[in-house]
Amino acid sequence: MKSLLMHSDVNKIYFLIEDDVFPYDLPSEVECINIKGQQWFSADTCPNMKNRCSYMVLLRVVFSQIFPHLDRILTIDNDTIVRDNISELWDLDLEDYYLAGCSET
């Protein structure tokens, strides 16, 4: 998070947490959203997916429900170091795409 704030023009970062309180002080650009106890998937939805993906990865499927006020979301794992300005990613033409991704290197 620190590297992202240092190397981009980010207005807001959302942390999805499974606790009532984040134990550290956060800058004003960061907002924690407690997702603990919320039912995002029915019991019969994608039963085999829970064996293949973590709950936090599966949540990406319902980001439009968690963040209905946003028209674009860039997800970055919490162990990712941002080494350069990523603001240009917002200028990508995604009109014909619902989802985009990249491979890990």
Side-chain angles (χ1 to χ4, degrees), residues 62-105:
V62 293
F63 274 174
S64 62
Q65 294 172 36
I66 298 172
F67 303 105
H69 60 290
L70 302 177
D71 60 351
R72 285 188 179 204
I73 297 173
L74 173 65
T75 62
I76 300 176
D77 289 342
N78 63 353
D79 60 350
T80 300
I81 296 174
V82 177
R83 296 176 42 194
D84 203 353
N85 191 335
I86 62 169
S87 299
E88 64 189 41
L89 293 174
W90 291 112
D91 296 329
L92 290 176
D93 181 12
L94 301 174
E95 188 66 28
D96 295 331
Y97 303 95
Y98 180 76
L99 181 67
C102 64
S103 62
E104 293 186 25
T105 57

Side-chain angles (χ1 to χ4, degrees), residues 12-25:
K12 189 61 113 176
I13 295 174
Y14 296 96
F15 267 9
L16 299 182
I17 60 173
E18 295 184 284
D19 205 343
D20 291 330
V21 178
F22 191 74
Y24 304 104
D25 291 334

Side-chain angles (χ1 to χ4, degrees), residues 3 5-6 10 39 56 68-69 83 90 105:
S3 66
L5 291 171
M6 288 174 50
V10 173
Q39 186 66 36
M56 295 304 266
H69 60 290
R83 296 176 42 194
W90 291 112
T105 57

